[in-house]
Amino acid sequence: MAPNNKPRLLAFLLLAAWLLTACQRSTVYFQCKDTAEGGWEKNDTLVFDTQPMSADATYQEEVALRISNNYPFMRLTLIVQQTVYPAGHTTTDTLDCHLYDDHGNVLGPGTGLHQFVFPLKTLPLHRSDSLHVTIHHDMKREILPGISSVGIKVSR
């Protein structure tokens, strides 16, 4: 490559990276919590608390999952309860997560661990609002093997 083409290439790559990230939502909170190695117990509730929001905006919430190949079911049902503070408004949502297709093929990327992101809801939040989110599974089995971590992502 000629020496005078390097600045053009660098400028092009920087512009391409900026354009790719400019269209994406801005993540304001993302945290994952590991579940117990022996399996995620039904009464083991995971708790997430966000910092106060910095602006009035519409926020998108998502639930992130990481499962191993020894997860025994095709789906996972989660109960997500959240309270918006300081108002104290609480909602409860049931999230039905499809992890495998009808032929038993995993739907998430990965080899030993598979990652998933499921949209939860869109919320209008005010500056200084914060979220308290709890998640537990609602499966018939008391202890679920194969769930390695569960997380919450909030984007603006």
Side-chain angles (χ1 to χ4, degrees):
M1 175 178 292
N4 62 352
N5 287 337
K6 285 185 181 180
R8 286 186 189 152
L9 179 61
L10 182 59
F12 173 76
L13 291 175
L14 288 172
L15 177 64
W18 177 76
L19 286 174
L20 288 173
T21 59
C23 297
Q24 295 179 353
R25 293 179 151 281
S26 171
T27 301
V28 297
Y29 178 84
F30 185 45
Q31 183 179 20
C32 287
K33 296 199 174 176
D34 293 336
T35 60
E37 274 188 45
W40 187 17
E41 293 188 36
K42 195 170 198 159
N43 62 357
D44 184 14
T45 300
L46 302 173
V47 178
F48 304 89
D49 289 297
T50 70
Q51 295 294 321
M53 301 299 140
S54 61
D56 290 357
T58 300
Y59 293 85
Q60 175 64 49
E61 293 180 292
E62 297 171 305
V63 173
L65 290 174
R66 190 175 295 149
I67 68 165
S68 69
N69 290 330
N70 64 351
Y71 181 71
F73 302 107
M74 296 180 76
R75 299 159 85 144
L76 172 65
T77 302
L78 299 174
I79 304 299
V80 182
Q81 186 177 54
Q82 57 189 334
T83 304
V84 178
Y85 289 106
H89 177 68
T90 300
T91 59
T92 302
D93 296 289
T94 302
L95 187 60
D96 186 21
C97 306
H98 296 261
L99 306 172
Y100 293 87
D101 66 15
D102 292 337
H103 304 288
N105 300 311
V106 68
L107 298 172
T111 51
L113 287 176
H114 306 281
Q115 298 181 41
F116 299 86
V117 177
F118 296 98
L120 181 59
K121 65 177 14 176
T122 302
L123 282 176
L125 295 174
H126 299 289
R127 184 173 190 261
S128 300
D129 281 353
S130 62
L131 296 170
H132 174 77
V133 181
T134 63
I135 300 177
H136 66 274
H137 75 80
D138 190 34
M139 302 294 285
K140 289 182 182 183
R141 196 183 248 189
E142 287 296 316
I143 299 176
L144 284 181
I147 305 288
S148 65
S149 64
V150 179
I152 289 288
K153 180 178 179 184
V154 180
S155 304
R156 183 170 62 178

